[in-house]
Amino acid sequence: MDFKLTKEQEMVTLAARRFAKEVCEPIAEEIDREHRFPRETFNLLSKYGFVGAGFPKEYGGTGNDKIAQLIVVKEIAKVCAATSSILSIHQGSINCLLKFGNKEQKDKYLRKLICEGMVGAFALTEDNAGSDASNIQTTAVEDGDSYIINGTKRFITGAGQAGVYIVLAYTEPEKKTRGITAFLVDSDTEGFSVGKIEDKMGICASHTGELVFENVRIPKENILGKYNKGFKIALTSIDDARVLTVGAQSLGIAEGALELAADYAKSRIQFGAPVSKQQGLQWYLAEMATKLEAATWMTYHAAQMLQEGNRISKECAMVKLFTSETARFVVERALQIHGGYGYMKDYAIERMYRDVKITELYEGTNEIQKLVIARAVLN
Ligand SMILES: Cc1cc2nc3c(=O)[nH]c(=O)nc-3n(C[C@H](O)[C@H](O)[C@H](O)COP(=O)(O)OP(=O)(O)OC[C@H]3O[C@@H](n4cnc5c(N)ncnc54)[C@H](O)[C@@H]3O)c2cc1C
């Protein structure tokens, strides 16, 4: 394996870094404080091809690979985790359509999602179906050439912002996970509404909320993938997201926090010298940098394997587990290096400390990653 970025990947890094610095960073604190979805940023991400990184040119993408997608999310997460979350979960819904959609569905949605500013969302979780996703209660009952969906989804990223939702519902509940089907639901469909938007601890600008389905009639042509194969779609999509959403986001947050910590340590004077001269803090920085280096290679390696079309559930779970724990460790140490100032909202590290926690929770909690890894080890 080549451990160097290609010229194209280097160019993507520079472009994404510049966008993050010029567009995302200046409003990161404001959209966090106001819990405001950054619609204008999302439109620019679309316009400048960052949403399209890693997607085919035929649908408006930039045609490069999954490493480019990872790089864009990482660079944005360095300055604004909420925006990186909005972007990467949206890209997850595009990935899903690209993999499982038929030609008509791709023609109908992909351009809108990739370069025309439409937001996509993925709706699996419910009140009593988090880690145990098979316990969903949402049903889709056949009625002529349609299905009638009833149920309520919870904690859905993009709720109220998305134009199309990928919704998982039981079509044959007695068959358990082999009786779940994925549907494409347009946001203006009769009977569909958005319920409570959650008041969260972090990634506040990324809206997370409830979706309510009351006798929502969905034509059969809106089945995504095959009938009763929705759970497989969910599992495959989650594998990708563990690397391209959580892995990329964790690396970005950790890189950002390490840079802030090093800069702060060099500028903060105590006992007549920068605190960076204290060997205790140097050891913190050394540990942070070392863990981040390991997490980085692990994530790029998994992204490359996904790019080559491998099914690598164990490696994806390992990336999710290790990068998120690394990011939390790095951010916590970075805040410690800031001393009391790090506890104040005037400093970005305070926001990062709240934001980083999500990486250990969504796309399957870290306990669930350990189950996946242990199962593979014991197989
Ligand atoms: C900000 C945010 C955004 C989200 N976005 C989306 C989205 O876009 N789409 C979507 O479908 N979902 C989304 N989710 C849902 C997310 O994936 C779930 O919250 C997550 O899977 C955990 O489910 P839960 O919250 O119900 O926790 P629970 O499953 O109730 O878990 C509670 C605790 O028990 C542990 N646990 C549960 N089962 C086991 C087990 N078998 N072994 C060991 N420990 C176990 C868990 O690890 C956790 O510590 C989002 C969540 C958040 C917070």
Side-chain angles (χ1 to χ4, degrees), residues 122 124-125 130-131 155-157 200 208 358 362 365 367 371:
F122 189 89
L124 173 62
T125 302
S131 302
F155 292 172
I156 306 305
T157 302
K200 304 197 297 296
T208 310
I358 191 58
Y362 65 6
T365 63
E367 289 75 17
L371 290 188

Side-chain angles (χ1 to χ4, degrees), residues 339-355:
Y341 291 89
Y343 201 64
M344 305 300 155
K345 289 195 181 278
D346 297 337
Y347 286 79
I349 198 68
E350 181 273 341
R351 170 169 42 83
M352 293 166 110
Y353 190 77
R354 287 184 285 111
D355 287 344

Side-chain angles (χ1 to χ4, degrees), residues 154-176:
R154 190 97 199 254
F155 292 172
I156 306 305
T157 302
Q161 301 294 336
V164 64
Y165 296 86
I166 297 169
V167 178
L168 281 291
Y170 266 116
T171 27
E172 293 187 62
E174 65 285 0
K175 291 190 175 165
K176 299 286 177 196

Side-chain angles (χ1 to χ4, degrees), residues 96-159:
C96 201
L97 250 160
L98 204 55
K99 258 194 199 154
F100 298 102
N102 59 33
K103 183 165 176 348
E104 290 72 33
Q105 291 166 344
K106 288 179 184 174
D107 288 346
K108 181 171 175 194
Y109 291 106
L110 283 177
R111 273 196 169 270
K112 288 186 186 162
L113 290 166
I114 290 175
C115 52
E116 292 174 13
M118 181 195 262
V119 177
F122 189 89
L124 173 62
T125 302
E126 298 180 8
D127 274 6
N128 293 312
S131 302
D132 182 8
S134 68
N135 199 37
I136 58 170
Q137 304 298 311
T138 299
T139 54
V141 177
E142 192 174 3
D143 183 36
D145 56 2
S146 307
Y147 280 87
I148 309 293
I149 301 187
N150 278 289
T152 303
K153 296 289 177 184
R154 190 97 199 254
F155 292 172
I156 306 305
T157 302

Side-chain angles (χ1 to χ4, degrees), residues 96-97 100-101 105 166 181-184 222-226 233:
C96 201
L97 250 160
F100 298 102
Q105 291 166 344
I166 297 169
T181 302
F183 294 88
L184 291 161
N222 279 30
I223 287 181
L224 180 66
K226 295 202 175 103
I233 293 181

Side-chain angles (χ1 to χ4, degrees), residues 70-71 73-75 77-78 243 245-258 291-301 319 322-324 326-327 330 352 356 359:
L70 188 157
I71 289 169
V73 173
K74 173 177 83 71
E75 288 302 322
K78 264 172 97 167
V243 177
T245 296
V246 180
Q249 190 175 23
S250 301
L251 293 184
I253 299 172
E255 271 185 34
L258 180 60
K291 284 185 199 254
L292 176 55
E293 186 74 7
T296 300
W297 289 114
M298 197 177 178
T299 309
Y300 277 74
H301 180 236
V319 166
F322 188 71
T323 60
S324 61
T326 297
V330 170
M352 293 166 110
V356 76
T359 62

